[in-house]
Amino acid sequence: MTASRTTDQVAGEAAQRRHLFDVDALTVNGIAQILDEAERMTEPMGAPLRGKTVINFFAEASTRTRVSFQIAAGRLGAQVVNIAADGSSLEKGESLVDTVRTLQAVGAHALVIRHAEPGAPYLAARHFRGPVINAGDGRHAHPTQALLDLLTMRRLFGTLRGLIVAIVGDVTHSRVARSTALGLLLCGAQVRLCAPPTLLPHPGWIAALPPSGEGGTVLQTTFMRDALDGAQVVMTLRMQAERQQNGLLPNLKEYVRMYGITTARLAELAPDAVVMHPGPVNEGVEIAPELMTGRVSLISQQVENGVLVRMAVLKLLLGETGE
Ligand code: NCD
């Protein structure tokens, strides 16, 4: 009994390692390995994925993630095929499982998937032999965004241990907030989630987070003053209107006044902080336009680092030992 459970567990762990569903399957060393590999992606390396086909299957809107996976796979020498829900047989009623089986049959080696349903990548992986990489599933997870956020912060601060990061905005609907907060926690950062009460996750989510061996913490507050006090990074989030029910905010103007990140608010509450945003941005809502570029903004570094992280993930999952 014990022996067979152990075998199953080992098999389960191996299966998890072959895919990237979320940061929750990674250890602090696993995260460091991916970030270190990403750092090496600026060096010349030939075409380690020549002969491999990567399918970019995006059943939900995307610019940055889709394009950067495409560029990343291309730089590694892989062939890339892009599929969107519009124009694919999903429009004709084909199920996700049938689509994935078809992609398997045409000879794809890796599947990058974005889907509005949480859990879609896990389902896809049951019908696909190669690695499956989650590029965002509903409001659940977005692991490569988390990894690029971690890389961007590690590059600037040298370490994530003890870093004070405020994540402000529509936390409850944001897969980025969930995955990035989890990654930061594992790596020992002090995370503060800040939003109006209707846009904060259920406290049970925080209670269920794994303990951080690195001393990381996650707390939530509705007060910007508490979230930003001493913050070294302020990450703002887009209002995820497509995932919200009505009535979560009394008034957008009031939200902007209380939670929008502006130069004046930063100067008052977190004068030394840098600003991040996963994009796409609603200028003038969660962030003032002048903060999107310039000295305090890391937004374009996030996009640049996204290509490096996705190269690293593809190479680690599909290189030498991969499919
Ligand atoms: C995010 C996403 O799609 O989850 N964008 C991204 O991937 N860079 C965030 C968002 O949509 O607001």
Side-chain angles (χ1 to χ4, degrees), residues 121-257:
Y122 300 78
L123 176 63
R126 290 165 57 181
H127 302 276
F128 190 78
R129 272 200 297 278
V132 173
I133 300 169
N134 183 3
D137 61 330
R139 51 197 267 196
H140 170 241
H142 195 350
T144 58
Q145 178 70 40
L147 290 163
L148 76 87
D149 289 338
L150 299 182
L151 180 64
T152 305
M153 291 182 235
R154 196 183 78 164
R155 282 187 140 185
L156 184 65
F157 295 98
T159 177
L160 300 169
R161 209 158 202 255
L163 193 69
I164 304 177
V165 182
I167 301 182
V168 181
D170 184 1
V171 178
T172 193
H173 297 97
S174 171
R175 54 195 175 204
V176 175
R178 296 169 71 85
S179 290
T180 299
L182 183 55
L184 284 166
L185 170 73
L186 291 174
C187 295
Q190 318 275 299
V191 184
R192 298 154 181 186
L193 305 174
C194 183
T198 47
L199 298 180
L200 280 175
H202 187 278
W205 180 69
I206 291 193
L209 288 170
S212 167
E214 303 293 305
T217 54
V218 178
L219 58 81
Q220 48 187 17
T221 173
T222 55
F223 297 108
M224 285 290 271
R225 199 166 281 284
D226 294 344
L228 267 60
D229 182 35
Q232 293 160 284
V233 178
V234 178
M235 177 181 292
T236 67
L237 302 168
R238 182 176 69 86
M239 201 57 78
Q240 311 266 312
E242 72 278 22
R243 288 192 243 289
Q244 287 183 6
Q245 305 144 342
N246 288 333
L248 290 178
L249 281 180
N251 172 323
L252 193 62
K253 264 204 190 129
E254 184 177 297
Y255 173 83
V256 174
R257 192 171 55 74

Side-chain angles (χ1 to χ4, degrees), residues 19-315:
H19 304 293
L20 180 61
F21 296 140
D22 193 9
V23 181
D24 60 1
L26 299 173
T27 59
V28 65
N29 289 335
I31 292 173
Q33 186 200 358
I34 298 171
L35 303 190
D36 293 345
E37 186 74 18
E39 292 288 6
R40 288 191 286 274
M41 289 296 122
T42 50
E43 296 162 12
M45 73 183 99
L49 298 190
R50 178 169 297 133
K52 307 277 181 181
T53 301
V54 175
I55 305 258
N56 242 349
F57 176 36
F58 278 66
E60 211 194 41
S62 173
T63 303
R64 291 160 192 73
T65 308
R66 186 171 49 82
V67 172
S68 69
F69 265 112
Q70 185 175 352
I71 291 175
R75 280 199 195 154
L76 294 167
Q79 179 194 23
V80 192
V81 179
N82 285 309
I83 306 177
D86 295 4
S88 81
S89 291
L90 281 178
E91 275 194 333
K92 299 182 186 166
E94 183 173 65
S95 72
L96 173 64
V97 168
D98 277 344
T99 305
V100 171
R101 284 200 190 112
T102 305
L103 299 175
Q104 174 72 68
V106 293
H109 297 98
L111 179 62
V112 176
I113 179 168
R114 169 168 289 195
H115 202 281
E117 289 299 325
Y122 300 78
L123 176 63
R126 290 165 57 181
H127 302 276
F128 190 78
R129 272 200 297 278
V132 173
I133 300 169
N134 183 3
D137 61 330
R139 51 197 267 196
H140 170 241
H142 195 350
T144 58
Q145 178 70 40
L147 290 163
L148 76 87
D149 289 338
L150 299 182
L151 180 64
T152 305
M153 291 182 235
R154 196 183 78 164
R155 282 187 140 185
L156 184 65
F157 295 98
T159 177
L160 300 169
R161 209 158 202 255
L163 193 69
I164 304 177
V165 182
I167 301 182
V168 181
D170 184 1
V171 178
T172 193
H173 297 97
S174 171
R175 54 195 175 204
V176 175
R178 296 169 71 85
S179 290
T180 299
L182 183 55
L184 284 166
L185 170 73
L186 291 174
C187 295
Q190 318 275 299
V191 184
R192 298 154 181 186
L193 305 174
C194 183
T198 47
L199 298 180
L200 280 175
H202 187 278
W205 180 69
I206 291 193
L209 288 170
S212 167
E214 303 293 305
T217 54
V218 178
L219 58 81
Q220 48 187 17
T221 173
T222 55
F223 297 108
M224 285 290 271
R225 199 166 281 284
D226 294 344
L228 267 60
D229 182 35
Q232 293 160 284
V233 178
V234 178
M235 177 181 292
T236 67
L237 302 168
R238 182 176 69 86
M239 201 57 78
Q240 311 266 312
E242 72 278 22
R243 288 192 243 289
Q244 287 183 6
Q245 305 144 342
N246 288 333
L248 290 178
L249 281 180
N251 172 323
L252 193 62
K253 264 204 190 129
E254 184 177 297
Y255 173 83
V256 174
R257 192 171 55 74
M258 292 182 71
Y259 294 95
I261 305 295
T262 59
T263 309
R265 170 156 284 141
L266 269 191
E268 187 197 341
L269 300 181
D272 299 323
V274 289
V275 174
M276 296 176 68
H277 192 306
V281 171
N282 288 142
E283 286 184 39
V285 178
E286 68 268 10
I287 183 168
E290 76 271 9
L291 287 176
M292 289 175 56
T293 52
R295 204 178 45 82
V296 300
S297 172
L298 297 184
I299 297 174
S300 64
Q301 278 102 305
Q302 286 175 273
V303 178
E304 281 173 44
N305 292 336
V307 177
L308 303 181
V309 156
R310 289 169 180 131
M311 287 173 77
V313 167
L314 285 167
K315 182 161 178 277

